[in-house]
Amino acid sequence: MIRFASTFFILLSLSQAYDKQDLYELKTEHECKMCDLSGADLRGFDLIRVDLSESNLSGANFSGMDARKINFSNADLTDANFSGATIKGCKFVAATLHHVDFSNTRAWATNFIDAKIDRCNFSNAALGGAKFENNNLINSDFNNTLLWKATFTNVKGKPKIN
Amino acid sequence: MNKILSLLSIVTILSAQSLEWSNDYNKTIREAEKEHKTVLMMYHASWCPECGYMKEVVFHDLKLQEYMTKHFKLLAFDITKDKDKLPKGYSFLGVPTFFFISDQGKMITEFEGSGNAKEFLKKIKGIK
């Protein structure tokens, strides 16, 4: 029983690995560059136009929220969840995007230049006007994705434009 | 036969471009009052790809055009070019935003964003 309880608390602390001070900074200063927000549930935060560049956002939860015009450049977003979110105009320049859920997002005019994309789910997302450059999209899911006027430069596995 | 087909395609193209958007707020409200119609006012911008998608793709759907023409007076403002013409009292977070205004000039509802023609038609159906 004790072993079970300690395992539970270890797992709980691992899933909430973010720096509490960084989370406080984000809440109060509306900016958090190079922060550790890994595993943080950011739903309910006002994040419009926030600079989260170079931050550790692995496993962070942005699902369903209005997260437009955020700067995620050089951030680590491994396993992050954006499903159903509005992420119009966000910058993911050179960000690490491994196994990120972008399904059903409104992701108009997003910038993915030099992003390290692997096994991302873009299904049913609206990616009109998005910029992809120097990416490998082979393992990502673009099922029923709106790609109107999206641009693809030096991209492996370019999806079919609909 | 070829002539008929060409004529048909010209008719189709012309009808696909037939939505007429005014950018005179007061005049449109007065016309709406006369015709007992709701005003559909769109805020858009030339730099917004989502707005471009609505104008170049979605609003070319004939069914949608028919519904919009029948039920609404259409009003549109480019938030950058028509900055000085924007009517007061209509706040917005992003574009495209669609406002629905009664023939008495009162806002009924509004929403932001796009969708395909079917989704857009579903959203606007029943707004009076």
Side-chain angles (χ1 to χ4, degrees):
Chain A
M1 185 63 186
I2 293 167
R3 194 178 286 174
F4 172 77
S6 41
T7 312
F8 175 76
F9 285 113
I10 288 166
L11 284 172
L12 191 70
S13 63
L14 281 174
S15 66
Q16 295 178 332
Y18 57 84
D19 185 316
K20 283 181 181 169
Q21 188 58 39
D22 284 349
L23 196 67
Y24 181 75
E25 187 186 323
L26 176 66
K27 231 178 192 176
T28 53
E29 293 176 30
H30 207 61
E31 187 180 291
C32 211
K33 280 173 86 170
M34 299 175 76
C35 285
D36 181 3
L37 297 167
S38 53
D41 187 349
L42 298 168
R43 292 173 298 173
F45 279 65
D46 176 12
L47 294 183
I48 296 173
R49 292 176 193 271
V50 163
D51 188 354
L52 292 172
S53 58
E54 297 177 65
S55 292
N56 180 0
L57 292 154
S58 54
N61 190 358
F62 299 87
S63 62
M65 64 185 293
D66 193 338
R68 71 186 73 192
K69 294 190 176 176
I70 296 179
N71 184 2
F72 290 110
S73 298
N74 293 294
D76 182 357
L77 285 150
T78 303
D79 290 319
N81 182 4
F82 285 94
S83 61
T86 295
I87 52 170
K88 284 166 75 169
C90 283
K91 273 187 195 170
F92 293 95
V93 176
T96 302
L97 303 174
H98 292 174
H99 199 239
V100 180
D101 188 354
F102 287 107
S103 62
N104 297 291
T105 50
R106 283 180 65 216
W108 290 84
T110 38
N111 184 338
F112 292 97
I113 294 175
D114 295 327
K116 295 168 266 303
I117 298 173
D118 183 35
R119 293 169 295 125
C120 287
N121 181 2
F122 291 101
S123 62
N124 300 302
L127 278 159
K131 277 183 193 166
F132 289 90
E133 194 173 319
N134 304 324
N135 315 115
N136 185 344
L137 304 177
I138 286 171
N139 297 320
S140 291
D141 182 356
F142 283 87
N143 185 33
N144 200 31
T145 307
L146 178 69
L147 292 163
W148 188 76
K149 291 202 175 173
T151 57
F152 298 87
T153 312
N154 192 28
V155 161
K156 276 185 190 170
K158 181 183 164 185
K160 276 185 185 173
I161 309 283
N162 44 10
Chain B
M1 185 63 181
N2 280 344
K3 275 185 184 173
I4 294 169
L5 282 174
S6 321
L7 195 67
L8 271 174
S9 58
I10 289 167
V11 168
T12 309
I13 290 164
L14 286 175
S15 60
Q17 294 170 337
S18 68
L19 279 185
E20 280 182 24
W21 299 83
S22 162
N23 71 347
D24 186 330
Y25 180 82
N26 291 328
K27 190 182 161 203
T28 308
I29 296 287
R30 281 198 303 273
E31 285 175 359
E33 194 181 358
K34 267 186 199 169
E35 296 173 35
H36 303 293
K37 282 184 176 177
T38 299
V39 176
L40 194 172
M41 178 170 76
M42 170 173 66
Y43 277 10
H44 64 103
S46 55
W47 44 259
C48 153
E50 197 172 5
C51 306
Y53 175 70
M54 293 305 290
K55 290 183 279 183
E56 292 175 39
V57 180
V58 178
F59 292 148
H60 283 228
D61 181 90
L62 294 179
K63 253 190 181 174
L64 180 60
Q65 282 189 355
E66 193 188 332
Y67 188 86
M68 286 170 74
T69 312
K70 192 176 173 187
H71 296 275
F72 299 105
K73 293 301 291 181
L74 304 175
L75 183 60
F77 293 101
D78 183 315
I79 59 158
T80 311
K81 287 179 195 161
D82 299 326
K83 207 176 167 185
D84 300 330
K85 279 186 177 181
L86 299 182
K88 283 179 185 167
Y90 298 97
S91 58
F92 62 100
L93 193 57
V95 283
T97 293
F98 300 92
F99 300 93
F100 295 83
I101 306 159
S102 76
D103 56 5
Q104 300 300 309
K106 284 184 181 169
M107 190 163 80
I108 302 166
T109 188
E110 48 98 20
F111 63 83
E112 186 203 327
S114 57
N116 62 34
K118 207 177 165 185
E119 287 162 351
F120 192 80
L121 187 58
K122 200 178 165 187
K123 271 187 186 177
I124 66 170
K125 265 190 174 175
I127 298 178
K128 280 175 190 169

